[in-house]
Amino acid sequence: MLIIVGLGNPGSKYAFNRHNIGFMAVDAIIHRHSFSPERQRFQGLVSEGVLSGEKVIVLKPMTYMNESGRSVGEAMRFYKLTPQDVVVFHDELDLPPGKVRIKTGGGHGGHNGIRSITAHIGENFRRVRLGIGHPGSKERVLGAVLGDFSKAEMKWVEPLIDTIASEAPLLAEGRFNSFANRVHLALNPEPPKEKKQPSRENRPADGRENGDS
């Protein structure tokens, strides 16, 4: 069993904030894989479903970002799970926009939602870090994360969220590196390989390519 947590702030005024990309990601998973309607539980909104034959709980804490750990800890203890069974989607200032990285454990990096979860369940949970880019100075961080994505930014946010939803079964399979790689390749497709030109010695004496008339 897996708990997939999306971090964000509740309420319509925060819905499209950069800080709420975790909510956006798990909402897409819920919709893509026909999870149950959300219901209030564990100080959050809970939806249940199945990914790759594994039962999955999607949790969106409604405690506001700074107290996310209260909700996550309550759910983890109820299901008698460990931090290794918890996957948290959250925004990451220190990654370029649209980049995705997964790590287990480590510090909170100044993210108050991760700080709160660490305080309640320890640090050994998996984090899916969704890059939103840094505004350039510490003074601008609060305004940036609590600001809405622009129309230009939605051109990478929407395909990112869509790909996360489509590849989510890999998380239930424990294939976290494959998940990150699939998301990266979907958003950064490899350029087509150029056809090799015939070497000079393999060309006809008249200079025409093989097959020319």
Side-chain angles (χ1 to χ4, degrees):
M1 185 176 175
L2 194 68
I3 298 178
I4 295 179
V5 180
L7 294 188
N9 286 310
S12 59
K13 73 175 183 177
Y14 299 109
F16 295 102
N17 282 186
R18 296 178 185 89
H19 218 21
N20 271 42
I21 195 170
F23 274 9
M24 297 177 193
V26 299
D27 279 341
I29 293 172
I30 290 170
H31 296 145
R32 174 66 62 87
H33 299 282
S34 302
F35 276 41
S36 67
E38 291 179 318
R39 58 185 176 128
Q40 292 186 351
R41 201 175 186 191
F42 311 126
Q43 304 179 64
L45 293 178
V46 170
S47 180
E48 301 178 2
V50 175
L51 296 175
S52 291
E54 186 81 10
K55 183 175 180 180
V56 174
I57 302 296
V58 168
L59 171 65
K60 291 158 48 182
M62 293 287 112
T63 53
Y64 288 93
M65 185 72 79
N66 293 6
E67 297 291 340
S68 299
R70 287 166 36 204
S71 175
V72 177
E74 189 176 327
M76 189 188 79
R77 289 187 293 272
F78 177 86
Y79 291 110
K80 297 180 172 61
L81 300 176
T82 68
Q84 288 79 9
D85 302 311
V86 177
V87 178
V88 179
F89 282 83
H90 68 92
D91 58 303
E92 178 57 74
L93 284 166
D94 294 330
L95 286 177
K99 296 296 182 184
V100 176
R101 295 289 185 273
I102 299 180
K103 74 170 186 176
T104 302
H108 54 73
H111 193 290
N112 288 331
I114 298 300
R115 188 200 309 267
S116 176
I117 294 172
T118 299
H120 283 266
I121 72 171
E123 65 180 29
N124 292 321
F125 57 94
R126 289 187 174 87
R127 305 105 188 265
V128 183
R129 304 160 63 210
L130 307 177
I132 61 171
H134 199 287
S137 66
K138 185 177 180 180
E139 294 73 23
R140 297 169 60 192
V141 165
L142 185 61
V145 298
L146 294 182
D148 286 354
F149 284 110
S150 67
K151 287 184 179 180
E153 288 174 309
M154 292 305 293
K155 291 180 180 178
W156 62 260
V157 171
E158 289 176 347
L160 171 64
I161 297 304
D162 186 62
T163 305
I164 285 171
S166 65
E167 301 297 342
L170 293 172
L171 299 175
E173 296 169 19
R175 298 169 61 193
F176 296 97
N177 288 336
S178 294
F179 171 83
N181 290 335
R182 294 270 189 92
V183 173
H184 173 77
L185 288 175
L187 299 178
N188 303 275
E190 294 180 350
K193 294 181 179 179
E194 294 184 4
K195 292 183 179 179
K196 290 185 178 179
Q197 294 294 324
S199 61
R200 190 175 295 276
E201 57 268 23
N202 291 334
R203 294 180 181 179
D206 61 3
R208 291 180 297 172
E209 302 290 346
N210 291 330
D212 285 350
S213 56

